[in-house]
Amino acid sequence: MDSYVNLLENALALLSWVQVRLLKLVDHKKAELIGKLIAKLEEFLKQADDMELIHRGEKIHALMAILQEITKEGAIIENQHMESLKDVIQELTRGPLYKRRTLIRESEIKERVKELARLLRDEINPSKTLVLGVLRGSIFFMVDLLRELNMPLRFDLIEAKSYGDKMHSSGEVKLHRVEELDLKDKIVLLVEDIVDTGHTLKAIVEFVKTQKPERLITCVLINKLERREVDVQIDYFGFRIEEGFLVGYGLDYADRYRCLPDICVLEPV
Ligand code: IMP
Ligand code: MG
């Protein structure tokens, strides 16, 4: 992870070296452009986190390749090299970059999960209950909840997919792993990470009901009200959030940030 930071720091050092060389050659125009590229890259490096850098790894390698070529002994810095440098740095530093702001701390999550477990414990008969987690976002929450419930419970998993790499729902929800589930006559405790438009939970609730459970209880960690499009059964929720795109504690953006202990909001910089 660290290596991309190192590579970019090397790139900055090489760019400074190129700038000095151009000044010696009295090529002020090129030297000035290099100065601008250095400033741009420095600004980018200040804001980008490790994940952003990994994501842009190929471009970082492309930049290093150009720099290696023009810093070879006896190399001449052509206009074409300048163009390639400009292009690759532009692509590398192009937004959106996000910064993470902690919204709910690990300790607050823990407290709330404890409270939810206390409420749920009175409602469920462990021998009849199946806890159903939704892959992949709800895993952390489900496991913590199971441990706090501290009952001889069974659990299973269903997979719901509605999100691409973007921050909004595609509306269409696909369910997987449904054949493996045995929900008939069970008390199903459905555990989900976040409800946004409501389409995902609605699709799962509808599926569960077709399996004739004795009862369905839904428990979601985050009830996000910003973009609710359909009414959906939420019996318990951990936190109510008005808006923002959240990551951490299982929640992802393009499959990243799931393992953060806190829940953070991603904000464009
Ligand atoms: P919905 O169908 O729009 O309610 O979206 C539900 C699904 O979208 C959740 O199961 C999450 O996987 C994902 N999702 C919605 N909002 C967020 C968010 O703020 N961060 C991460 N994932 C989200
Ligand atoms: Mg999900």
Side-chain angles (χ1 to χ4, degrees):
M1 263 211 237
D2 217 67
S3 68
Y4 283 121
V5 175
N6 291 342
L7 278 181
L8 280 183
E9 278 166 355
N10 283 345
L12 281 167
L14 289 173
L15 281 167
S16 299
W17 186 88
V18 170
Q19 192 182 32
V20 170
R21 214 174 122 210
L22 288 166
L23 286 171
K24 275 190 195 151
L25 294 167
V26 216
D27 193 339
H28 290 290
K29 213 167 147 219
K30 284 197 188 115
E32 196 185 325
L33 179 59
I34 295 284
K36 281 188 188 149
L37 294 179
I38 290 174
K40 198 163 194 170
L41 207 56
E42 274 174 344
E43 195 50 34
F44 170 76
L45 195 51
K46 257 192 256 161
Q47 292 168 356
D49 63 21
D50 297 338
M51 288 294 196
E52 287 287 353
L53 294 182
I54 289 170
H55 214 54
R56 292 160 198 243
E58 262 176 48
K59 307 222 169 69
I60 295 173
H61 286 296
L63 170 64
M64 292 312 288
I66 303 167
L67 284 170
Q68 259 144 30
E69 195 182 316
I70 62 175
T71 52
K72 262 193 251 161
E73 222 182 287
I76 296 167
I77 305 162
E78 317 260 13
N79 285 340
Q80 201 190 326
H81 289 132
M82 296 299 294
E83 283 303 311
S84 321
L85 273 182
K86 212 169 82 183
D87 288 350
V88 76
I89 290 175
Q90 216 134 42
E91 273 180 50
L92 175 61
T93 56
R94 204 188 332 255
L97 282 174
Y98 299 96
K99 67 169 187 284
R100 299 192 303 256
R101 182 167 57 81
T102 301
L103 202 64
I104 311 168
R105 297 205 168 279
E106 190 179 5
S107 55
E108 290 173 71
I109 300 170
K110 220 178 159 122
E111 261 325 292
R112 188 64 186 133
V113 171
K114 249 186 216 161
E115 282 168 22
L116 287 172
R118 215 162 26 234
L119 296 169
L120 285 164
R121 212 176 286 131
D122 298 332
E123 280 227 37
I124 54 183
N125 167 355
S127 64
K128 288 186 106 181
T129 300
L130 181 80
V131 178
L132 185 60
V134 183
L135 286 169
R136 283 170 277 171
S138 76
I139 290 291
F140 293 65
F141 176 42
M142 184 189 74
V143 169
D144 285 350
L145 193 62
L146 281 171
R147 283 194 287 213
E148 286 298 339
L149 281 165
N150 195 17
M151 288 169 140
L153 284 162
R154 274 180 286 182
F155 74 87
D156 213 329
L157 298 158
I158 187 169
E159 185 174 19
K161 280 189 178 160
S162 66
Y163 268 62
D165 281 357
K166 302 203 186 79
M167 287 191 181
H168 19 75
S169 172
S170 61
E172 177 199 351
V173 181
K174 288 203 184 97
L175 300 182
H176 303 271
R177 290 183 52 85
V178 291
E179 298 82 18
E180 288 92 346
L181 300 172
D182 178 14
L183 309 179
K184 195 168 175 345
D185 299 328
K186 303 263 167 56
I187 298 172
V188 176
L189 173 58
L190 181 61
V191 179
E192 172 62 316
D193 52 1
I194 188 165
V195 178
D196 183 15
T197 63
H199 290 293
T200 305
L201 190 63
K202 184 163 186 263
I204 302 169
V205 164
E206 275 170 6
F207 162 74
V208 171
K209 287 189 173 159
T210 65
Q211 303 300 295
K212 310 258 181 292
E214 182 188 300
R215 226 182 121 199
L216 168 65
I217 306 168
T218 64
C219 178
V220 311
L221 181 64
I222 292 177
N223 188 1
K224 193 163 84 175
L225 298 158
E226 186 181 7
R227 289 182 295 211
R228 190 64 45 86
E229 286 171 11
V230 286
D231 260 343
V232 66
Q233 175 191 344
I234 301 177
D235 298 314
Y236 294 91
F237 65 84
F239 301 94
R240 188 189 172 110
I241 302 287
E242 296 302 325
E243 58 177 18
F245 196 84
L246 310 185
V247 296
Y249 194 64
L251 293 166
D252 72 303
Y253 169 52
D255 234 6
R256 295 147 61 191
Y257 307 116
R258 285 195 201 276
C259 299
L260 296 174
D262 301 325
I263 292 174
C264 306
V265 60
L266 282 190
E267 292 173 337
V269 286

mmCIF file of all heavy atoms in Angstrom, residues 1-37:
data_model
loop_
_atom_site.group_PDB
_atom_site.id
_atom_site.type_symbol
_atom_site.label_atom_id
_atom_site.label_comp_id
_atom_site.label_asym_id
_atom_site.label_seq_id
_atom_site.Cartn_x
_atom_site.Cartn_y
_atom_site.Cartn_z
ATOM 1 N N MET A 1 0.831 -1.195 0.000
ATOM 2 C CA MET A 1 0.000 0.000 0.000
ATOM 3 C C MET A 1 0.867 1.245 0.000
ATOM 4 O O MET A 1 0.690 2.140 -0.792
ATOM 5 C CB MET A 1 -0.883 0.018 1.254
ATOM 6 C CG MET A 1 -2.255 -0.508 0.974
ATOM 7 S SD MET A 1 -3.442 0.302 2.028
ATOM 8 C CE MET A 1 -4.147 -1.108 2.833
ATOM 9 N N ASP A 2 1.775 1.224 0.915
ATOM 10 C CA ASP A 2 2.683 2.341 1.070
ATOM 11 C C ASP A 2 3.464 2.629 -0.192
ATOM 12 O O ASP A 2 3.857 3.756 -0.447
ATOM 13 C CB ASP A 2 3.666 1.962 2.187
ATOM 14 C CG ASP A 2 3.984 3.173 3.021
ATOM 15 O OD1 ASP A 2 3.075 3.646 3.700
ATOM 16 O OD2 ASP A 2 5.140 3.644 2.930
ATOM 17 N N SER A 3 3.649 1.587 -1.017
ATOM 18 C CA SER A 3 4.568 1.724 -2.135
ATOM 19 C C SER A 3 4.092 2.755 -3.167
ATOM 20 O O SER A 3 4.921 3.374 -3.814
ATOM 21 C CB SER A 3 4.805 0.381 -2.801
ATOM 22 O OG SER A 3 3.627 -0.030 -3.418
ATOM 23 N N TYR A 4 2.769 2.930 -3.289
ATOM 24 C CA TYR A 4 2.304 3.941 -4.239
ATOM 25 C C TYR A 4 2.636 5.350 -3.756
ATOM 26 O O TYR A 4 2.951 6.229 -4.548
ATOM 27 C CB TYR A 4 0.805 3.804 -4.520
ATOM 28 C CG TYR A 4 0.503 2.662 -5.464
ATOM 29 C CD1 TYR A 4 -0.317 1.625 -5.083
ATOM 30 C CD2 TYR A 4 1.057 2.646 -6.738
ATOM 31 C CE1 TYR A 4 -0.577 0.566 -5.954
ATOM 32 C CE2 TYR A 4 0.803 1.596 -7.613
ATOM 33 C CZ TYR A 4 -0.019 0.565 -7.210
ATOM 34 O OH TYR A 4 -0.277 -0.457 -8.057
ATOM 35 N N VAL A 5 2.568 5.537 -2.455
ATOM 36 C CA VAL A 5 2.985 6.830 -1.899
ATOM 37 C C VAL A 5 4.464 7.045 -2.208
ATOM 38 O O VAL A 5 4.873 8.116 -2.677
ATOM 39 C CB VAL A 5 2.741 6.881 -0.368
ATOM 40 C CG1 VAL A 5 3.284 8.172 0.220
ATOM 41 C CG2 VAL A 5 1.258 6.749 -0.060
ATOM 42 N N ASN A 6 5.249 5.989 -1.986
ATOM 43 C CA ASN A 6 6.690 6.104 -2.280
ATOM 44 C C ASN A 6 6.948 6.406 -3.745
ATOM 45 O O ASN A 6 7.783 7.244 -4.079
ATOM 46 C CB ASN A 6 7.418 4.800 -1.922
ATOM 47 C CG ASN A 6 7.456 4.591 -0.419
ATOM 48 O OD1 ASN A 6 7.245 5.540 0.325
ATOM 49 N ND2 ASN A 6 7.703 3.372 0.006
ATOM 50 N N LEU A 7 6.211 5.704 -4.600
ATOM 51 C CA LEU A 7 6.395 5.936 -6.036
ATOM 52 C C LEU A 7 6.086 7.391 -6.395
ATOM 53 O O LEU A 7 6.827 8.024 -7.144
ATOM 54 C CB LEU A 7 5.481 5.014 -6.851
ATOM 55 C CG LEU A 7 5.962 3.589 -7.083
ATOM 56 C CD1 LEU A 7 4.952 2.814 -7.922
ATOM 57 C CD2 LEU A 7 7.318 3.558 -7.774
ATOM 58 N N LEU A 8 5.019 7.908 -5.837
ATOM 59 C CA LEU A 8 4.658 9.289 -6.159
ATOM 60 C C LEU A 8 5.664 10.282 -5.581
ATOM 61 O O LEU A 8 5.951 11.312 -6.188
ATOM 62 C CB LEU A 8 3.248 9.601 -5.670
ATOM 63 C CG LEU A 8 2.133 9.088 -6.569
ATOM 64 C CD1 LEU A 8 0.774 9.492 -6.044
ATOM 65 C CD2 LEU A 8 2.290 9.600 -8.009
ATOM 66 N N GLU A 9 6.207 9.937 -4.417
ATOM 67 C CA GLU A 9 7.254 10.813 -3.858
ATOM 68 C C GLU A 9 8.503 10.779 -4.746
ATOM 69 O O GLU A 9 9.126 11.810 -5.000
ATOM 70 C CB GLU A 9 7.574 10.416 -2.418
ATOM 71 C CG GLU A 9 6.546 11.031 -1.477
ATOM 72 C CD GLU A 9 6.548 10.453 -0.080
ATOM 73 O OE1 GLU A 9 7.298 9.479 0.167
ATOM 74 O OE2 GLU A 9 5.781 10.974 0.754
ATOM 75 N N ASN A 10 8.823 9.586 -5.245
ATOM 76 C CA ASN A 10 9.929 9.480 -6.210
ATOM 77 C C ASN A 10 9.641 10.288 -7.460
ATOM 78 O O ASN A 10 10.524 10.969 -7.997
ATOM 79 C CB ASN A 10 10.146 8.029 -6.649
ATOM 80 C CG ASN A 10 10.870 7.230 -5.584
ATOM 81 O OD1 ASN A 10 11.439 7.819 -4.665
ATOM 82 N ND2 ASN A 10 10.838 5.914 -5.699
ATOM 83 N N ALA A 11 8.394 10.193 -7.921
ATOM 84 C CA ALA A 11 8.009 10.929 -9.132
ATOM 85 C C ALA A 11 8.218 12.424 -8.920
ATOM 86 O O ALA A 11 8.748 13.124 -9.791
ATOM 87 C CB ALA A 11 6.555 10.640 -9.488
ATOM 88 N N LEU A 12 7.845 12.905 -7.736
ATOM 89 C CA LEU A 12 8.017 14.334 -7.438
ATOM 90 C C LEU A 12 9.495 14.717 -7.436
ATOM 91 O O LEU A 12 9.887 15.761 -7.981
ATOM 92 C CB LEU A 12 7.381 14.670 -6.087
ATOM 93 C CG LEU A 12 5.859 14.827 -6.123
ATOM 94 C CD1 LEU A 12 5.274 14.849 -4.718
ATOM 95 C CD2 LEU A 12 5.468 16.099 -6.882
ATOM 96 N N ALA A 13 10.318 13.836 -6.870
ATOM 97 C CA ALA A 13 11.764 14.121 -6.840
ATOM 98 C C ALA A 13 12.331 14.157 -8.258
ATOM 99 O O ALA A 13 13.112 15.054 -8.610
ATOM 100 C CB ALA A 13 12.477 13.052 -5.999
ATOM 101 N N LEU A 14 11.892 13.197 -9.074
ATOM 102 C CA LEU A 14 12.380 13.157 -10.465
ATOM 103 C C LEU A 14 11.912 14.376 -11.243
ATOM 104 O O LEU A 14 12.667 14.944 -12.045
ATOM 105 C CB LEU A 14 11.906 11.875 -11.167
ATOM 106 C CG LEU A 14 12.570 10.571 -10.685
ATOM 107 C CD1 LEU A 14 11.913 9.362 -11.327
ATOM 108 C CD2 LEU A 14 14.073 10.571 -10.985
ATOM 109 N N LEU A 15 10.684 14.789 -10.997
ATOM 110 C CA LEU A 15 10.168 15.977 -11.692
ATOM 111 C C LEU A 15 10.980 17.220 -11.312
ATOM 112 O O LEU A 15 11.297 18.053 -12.169
ATOM 113 C CB LEU A 15 8.685 16.192 -11.366
ATOM 114 C CG LEU A 15 7.705 15.293 -12.128
ATOM 115 C CD1 LEU A 15 6.310 15.353 -11.509
ATOM 116 C CD2 LEU A 15 7.625 15.680 -13.615
ATOM 117 N N SER A 16 11.339 17.331 -10.040
ATOM 118 C CA SER A 16 12.163 18.470 -9.610
ATOM 119 C C SER A 16 13.524 18.439 -10.304
ATOM 120 O O SER A 16 14.053 19.472 -10.720
ATOM 121 C CB SER A 16 12.398 18.446 -8.102
ATOM 122 O OG SER A 16 11.178 18.527 -7.456
ATOM 123 N N TRP A 17 14.045 17.226 -10.411
ATOM 124 C CA TRP A 17 15.334 17.057 -11.078
ATOM 125 C C TRP A 17 15.235 17.511 -12.543
ATOM 126 O O TRP A 17 16.103 18.224 -13.048
ATOM 127 C CB TRP A 17 15.744 15.580 -10.975
ATOM 128 C CG TRP A 17 17.106 15.277 -11.492
ATOM 129 C CD1 TRP A 17 18.287 15.326 -10.792
ATOM 130 C CD2 TRP A 17 17.450 14.869 -12.834
ATOM 131 N NE1 TRP A 17 19.334 14.984 -11.596
ATOM 132 C CE2 TRP A 17 18.861 14.702 -12.864
ATOM 133 C CE3 TRP A 17 16.716 14.640 -14.004
ATOM 134 C CZ2 TRP A 17 19.538 14.298 -14.020
ATOM 135 C CZ3 TRP A 17 17.389 14.249 -15.149
ATOM 136 C CH2 TRP A 17 18.793 14.084 -15.149
ATOM 137 N N VAL A 18 14.143 17.116 -13.196
ATOM 138 C CA VAL A 18 13.917 17.503 -14.602
ATOM 139 C C VAL A 18 13.801 19.025 -14.704
ATOM 140 O O VAL A 18 14.367 19.654 -15.609
ATOM 141 C CB VAL A 18 12.638 16.826 -15.155
ATOM 142 C CG1 VAL A 18 12.251 17.392 -16.522
ATOM 143 C CG2 VAL A 18 12.836 15.313 -15.256
ATOM 144 N N GLN A 19 13.106 19.606 -13.740
ATOM 145 C CA GLN A 19 12.912 21.062 -13.754
ATOM 146 C C GLN A 19 14.262 21.796 -13.659
ATOM 147 O O GLN A 19 14.527 22.731 -14.422
ATOM 148 C CB GLN A 19 12.012 21.473 -12.584
ATOM 149 C CG GLN A 19 11.527 22.900 -12.689
ATOM 150 C CD GLN A 19 10.671 23.295 -11.494
ATOM 151 O OE1 GLN A 19 10.891 22.810 -10.389
ATOM 152 N NE2 GLN A 19 9.704 24.159 -11.729
ATOM 153 N N VAL A 20 15.103 21.323 -12.760
ATOM 154 C CA VAL A 20 16.434 21.939 -12.599
ATOM 155 C C VAL A 20 17.225 21.826 -13.902
ATOM 156 O O VAL A 20 17.863 22.783 -14.361
ATOM 157 C CB VAL A 20 17.195 21.273 -11.425
ATOM 158 C CG1 VAL A 20 18.657 21.707 -11.399
ATOM 159 C CG2 VAL A 20 16.522 21.601 -10.104
ATOM 160 N N ARG A 21 17.103 20.640 -14.499
ATOM 161 C CA ARG A 21 17.853 20.442 -15.743
ATOM 162 C C ARG A 21 17.374 21.385 -16.851
ATOM 163 O O ARG A 21 18.170 21.944 -17.604
ATOM 164 C CB ARG A 21 17.695 18.988 -16.191
ATOM 165 C CG ARG A 21 18.967 18.499 -16.854
ATOM 166 C CD ARG A 21 18.916 17.059 -17.165
ATOM 167 N NE ARG A 21 19.116 16.899 -18.598
ATOM 168 C CZ ARG A 21 18.586 15.912 -19.297
ATOM 169 N NH1 ARG A 21 17.840 15.007 -18.709
ATOM 170 N NH2 ARG A 21 18.834 15.826 -20.577
ATOM 171 N N LEU A 22 16.062 21.549 -16.925
ATOM 172 C CA LEU A 22 15.501 22.444 -17.948
ATOM 173 C C LEU A 22 15.914 23.893 -17.695
ATOM 174 O O LEU A 22 16.198 24.640 -18.629
ATOM 175 C CB LEU A 22 13.977 22.328 -17.968
ATOM 176 C CG LEU A 22 13.447 21.011 -18.547
ATOM 177 C CD1 LEU A 22 11.966 20.821 -18.222
ATOM 178 C CD2 LEU A 22 13.661 20.955 -20.071
ATOM 179 N N LEU A 23 15.985 24.264 -16.438
ATOM 180 C CA LEU A 23 16.417 25.640 -16.107
ATOM 181 C C LEU A 23 17.868 25.851 -16.530
ATOM 182 O O LEU A 23 18.233 26.910 -17.047
ATOM 183 C CB LEU A 23 16.239 25.909 -14.610
ATOM 184 C CG LEU A 23 14.787 26.119 -14.163
ATOM 185 C CD1 LEU A 23 14.673 26.162 -12.644
ATOM 186 C CD2 LEU A 23 14.205 27.399 -14.777
ATOM 187 N N LYS A 24 18.666 24.816 -16.317
ATOM 188 C CA LYS A 24 20.078 24.909 -16.736
ATOM 189 C C LYS A 24 20.193 25.063 -18.241
ATOM 190 O O LYS A 24 21.082 25.725 -18.760
ATOM 191 C CB LYS A 24 20.837 23.652 -16.283
ATOM 192 C CG LYS A 24 21.337 23.761 -14.858
ATOM 193 C CD LYS A 24 22.285 22.617 -14.561
ATOM 194 C CE LYS A 24 22.495 22.488 -13.076
ATOM 195 N NZ LYS A 24 22.786 21.100 -12.690
ATOM 196 N N LEU A 25 19.247 24.403 -18.936
ATOM 197 C CA LEU A 25 19.246 24.493 -20.400
ATOM 198 C C LEU A 25 18.535 25.764 -20.885
ATOM 199 O O LEU A 25 18.317 25.947 -22.081
ATOM 200 C CB LEU A 25 18.541 23.265 -21.003
ATOM 201 C CG LEU A 25 19.220 21.918 -20.788
ATOM 202 C CD1 LEU A 25 18.277 20.775 -21.157
ATOM 203 C CD2 LEU A 25 20.503 21.812 -21.618
ATOM 204 N N VAL A 26 18.167 26.610 -19.944
ATOM 205 C CA VAL A 26 17.430 27.859 -20.183
ATOM 206 C C VAL A 26 16.136 27.610 -20.981
ATOM 207 O O VAL A 26 15.741 28.427 -21.819
ATOM 208 C CB VAL A 26 18.303 28.948 -20.875
ATOM 209 C CG1 VAL A 26 17.915 30.336 -20.334
ATOM 210 C CG2 VAL A 26 19.779 28.738 -20.681
ATOM 211 N N ASP A 27 15.499 26.489 -20.690
ATOM 212 C CA ASP A 27 14.205 26.204 -21.325
ATOM 213 C C ASP A 27 13.108 26.534 -20.302
ATOM 214 O O ASP A 27 12.522 25.652 -19.664
ATOM 215 C CB ASP A 27 14.146 24.731 -21.756
ATOM 216 C CG ASP A 27 12.977 24.470 -22.693
ATOM 217 O OD1 ASP A 27 12.023 25.285 -22.680
ATOM 218 O OD2 ASP A 27 13.019 23.464 -23.422
ATOM 219 N N HIS A 28 12.868 27.836 -20.160
ATOM 220 C CA HIS A 28 11.962 28.281 -19.094
ATOM 221 C C HIS A 28 10.526 27.814 -19.288
ATOM 222 O O HIS A 28 9.819 27.569 -18.321
ATOM 223 C CB HIS A 28 12.003 29.812 -18.984
ATOM 224 C CG HIS A 28 13.308 30.293 -18.440
ATOM 225 N ND1 HIS A 28 13.676 30.092 -17.137
ATOM 226 C CD2 HIS A 28 14.369 30.917 -19.034
ATOM 227 C CE1 HIS A 28 14.876 30.588 -16.930
ATOM 228 N NE2 HIS A 28 15.338 31.079 -18.082
ATOM 229 N N LYS A 29 10.123 27.706 -20.541
ATOM 230 C CA LYS A 29 8.749 27.325 -20.815
ATOM 231 C C LYS A 29 8.459 25.913 -20.280
ATOM 232 O O LYS A 29 7.483 25.683 -19.571
ATOM 233 C CB LYS A 29 8.502 27.374 -22.326
ATOM 234 C CG LYS A 29 7.096 27.769 -22.635
ATOM 235 C CD LYS A 29 6.905 28.134 -24.078
ATOM 236 C CE LYS A 29 5.501 27.727 -24.488
ATOM 237 N NZ LYS A 29 5.448 27.181 -25.817
ATOM 238 N N LYS A 30 9.372 24.997 -20.636
ATOM 239 C CA LYS A 30 9.176 23.613 -20.163
ATOM 240 C C LYS A 30 9.320 23.546 -18.643
ATOM 241 O O LYS A 30 8.574 22.828 -17.976
ATOM 242 C CB LYS A 30 10.186 22.676 -20.832
ATOM 243 C CG LYS A 30 9.838 22.340 -22.277
ATOM 244 C CD LYS A 30 10.605 21.121 -22.747
ATOM 245 C CE LYS A 30 10.424 20.882 -24.229
ATOM 246 N NZ LYS A 30 11.633 21.021 -25.014
ATOM 247 N N ALA A 31 10.282 24.296 -18.121
ATOM 248 C CA ALA A 31 10.506 24.274 -16.666
ATOM 249 C C ALA A 31 9.267 24.757 -15.915
ATOM 250 O O ALA A 31 8.896 24.217 -14.872
ATOM 251 C CB ALA A 31 11.706 25.138 -16.305
ATOM 252 N N GLU A 32 8.622 25.753 -16.483
ATOM 253 C CA GLU A 32 7.431 26.301 -15.840
ATOM 254 C C GLU A 32 6.289 25.272 -15.837
ATOM 255 O O GLU A 32 5.589 25.103 -14.845
ATOM 256 C CB GLU A 32 7.001 27.560 -16.604
ATOM 257 C CG GLU A 32 6.021 28.418 -15.832
ATOM 258 C CD GLU A 32 5.544 29.593 -16.679
ATOM 259 O OE1 GLU A 32 6.360 30.113 -17.474
ATOM 260 O OE2 GLU A 32 4.375 29.953 -16.559
ATOM 261 N N LEU A 33 6.148 24.579 -16.966
ATOM 262 C CA LEU A 33 5.110 23.544 -17.043
ATOM 263 C C LEU A 33 5.381 22.435 -16.016
ATOM 264 O O LEU A 33 4.466 21.968 -15.335
ATOM 265 C CB LEU A 33 5.049 22.964 -18.466
ATOM 266 C CG LEU A 33 4.020 21.851 -18.672
ATOM 267 C CD1 LEU A 33 2.608 22.329 -18.341
ATOM 268 C CD2 LEU A 33 4.051 21.330 -20.099
ATOM 269 N N ILE A 34 6.640 22.043 -15.916
ATOM 270 C CA ILE A 34 6.984 21.015 -14.922
ATOM 271 C C ILE A 34 6.609 21.504 -13.518
ATOM 272 O O ILE A 34 6.068 20.750 -12.701
ATOM 273 C CB ILE A 34 8.492 20.665 -14.975
ATOM 274 C CG1 ILE A 34 8.856 20.008 -16.321
ATOM 275 C CG2 ILE A 34 8.898 19.758 -13.811
ATOM 276 C CD1 ILE A 34 8.436 18.559 -16.468
ATOM 277 N N GLY A 35 6.871 22.781 -13.253
ATOM 278 C CA GLY A 35 6.509 23.369 -11.951
ATOM 279 C C GLY A 35 5.019 23.219 -11.672
ATOM 280 O O GLY A 35 4.614 22.853 -10.563
ATOM 281 N N LYS A 36 4.211 23.447 -12.689
ATOM 282 C CA LYS A 36 2.752 23.322 -12.524
ATOM 283 C C LYS A 36 2.359 21.870 -12.249
ATOM 284 O O LYS A 36 1.488 21.583 -11.433
ATOM 285 C CB LYS A 36 2.044 23.810 -13.792
ATOM 286 C CG LYS A 36 1.967 25.326 -13.848
ATOM 287 C CD LYS A 36 1.100 25.773 -15.007
ATOM 288 C CE LYS A 36 1.204 27.287 -15.157
ATOM 289 N NZ LYS A 36 1.039 27.712 -16.539
ATOM 290 N N LEU A 37 3.033 20.959 -12.976
ATOM 291 C CA LEU A 37 2.720 19.536 -12.793
ATOM 292 C C LEU A 37 3.109 19.084 -11.388
ATOM 293 O O LEU A 37 2.399 18.294 -10.758
ATOM 294 C CB LEU A 37 3.436 18.684 -13.849
ATOM 295 C CG LEU A 37 2.975 18.912 -15.300
ATOM 296 C CD1 LEU A 37 3.765 18.046 -16.265
ATOM 297 C CD2 LEU A 37 1.475 18.629 -15.443
#
